[in-house]
Amino acid sequence: MNSLHKPLALAVLLLSAQSFAALAQEASPVSGLDGWTLGVAPYTYHFSDARKEHSFEPDDERHADVWLVTAERRFDEHQLAGLALFNNSFGQFSQYAYYGWQFRPWNAHPQLFLKLTGGVIHGYKYPYHKKIPFNNRNGWGVTVIPGVGWDFDRHWGAQVNVLGTSALMFQVNYMFR
């Protein structure tokens, strides 16, 4: 994806999320989407520049723009599962299928939540397969991703995902209720 297409793709993702939100507000209180959350992560902050760590990696290594879209289903107050599709830090299309838990540990701040997900990740392929732990040369691995978030209202929220020692991913969510 060239640099002109990235802003266009992000705009389409954001407009799609806004369209889903408008449809959800028109839907009856109990719909087939109840319990689902759609998320978009338009920005990831890397703690350091990409750097060559192994001889098989390219000499001119740079972080690519990262984007993510996710659909997540809550099963009860704490349990959830989801699928995230994203462009990883090295420009490779990637997927993350996960199961996780969400907790609201402080009664004084019920909007604040902690999230922990774990699952199968695919997409960090050679020559970047060693950029994440527990990953093979073909791009298959397992991972755990913690996050912290805040619900602004009944439908809208935001969260920050901690991507190991590499980055923070900023995400906006729309929850169907």
Side-chain angles (χ1 to χ4, degrees):
M1 187 181 293
N2 69 36
S3 61
L4 260 119
H5 290 109
K6 291 174 187 172
L8 180 60
L10 181 58
V12 169
L13 290 172
L14 292 174
L15 287 173
S16 297
Q18 184 178 13
S19 297
F20 281 125
L23 288 172
Q25 289 176 346
E26 294 173 9
S28 65
V30 177
S31 73
L33 295 176
D34 189 40
W36 283 91
T37 298
L38 297 179
V40 176
Y43 179 71
T44 298
Y45 173 76
H46 290 91
F47 299 134
S48 63
D49 292 333
R51 63 184 176 281
K52 183 175 179 169
E53 297 174 347
H54 302 94
S55 61
F56 51 80
E57 293 173 359
D59 290 331
D60 60 346
E61 192 167 310
R62 299 282 182 266
H63 283 137
D65 291 333
V66 177
W67 56 264
L68 171 137
V69 293
T70 185
E72 186 174 277
R73 176 77 164 107
R74 288 182 317 277
F75 298 115
D76 60 27
E77 188 177 340
H78 300 292
Q79 298 179 76
L80 53 94
L83 175 66
L85 305 176
F86 62 101
N87 193 53
N88 71 32
S89 300
F90 304 99
Q92 298 171 315
F93 178 68
S94 302
Q95 313 84 44
Y96 174 48
Y98 59 89
Y99 180 85
W101 302 269
Q102 182 171 309
F103 299 97
R104 298 180 187 277
W106 296 284
N107 291 335
H109 300 287
Q111 310 92 323
L112 181 68
F113 64 86
L114 302 176
K115 187 184 283 188
L116 182 66
T117 64
V120 176
I121 190 167
H122 176 257
Y124 285 82
K125 298 176 187 172
Y126 181 87
Y128 304 110
H129 63 289
K130 291 191 175 189
K131 293 293 187 181
I132 61 173
F134 310 112
N135 193 51
N136 72 22
R137 184 179 175 101
N138 296 321
W140 289 97
V142 294
T143 194
V144 173
I145 299 176
V148 61
W150 186 270
D151 290 333
F152 299 113
D153 62 27
R154 170 174 168 77
H155 295 288
W156 289 99
Q159 69 187 57
V160 177
N161 302 309
V162 181
L163 306 178
T165 59
S166 299
L168 296 175
M169 177 178 277
F170 297 88
Q171 180 174 328
V172 176
N173 298 320
Y174 183 85
M175 295 152 282
F176 293 92
R177 298 180 195 248

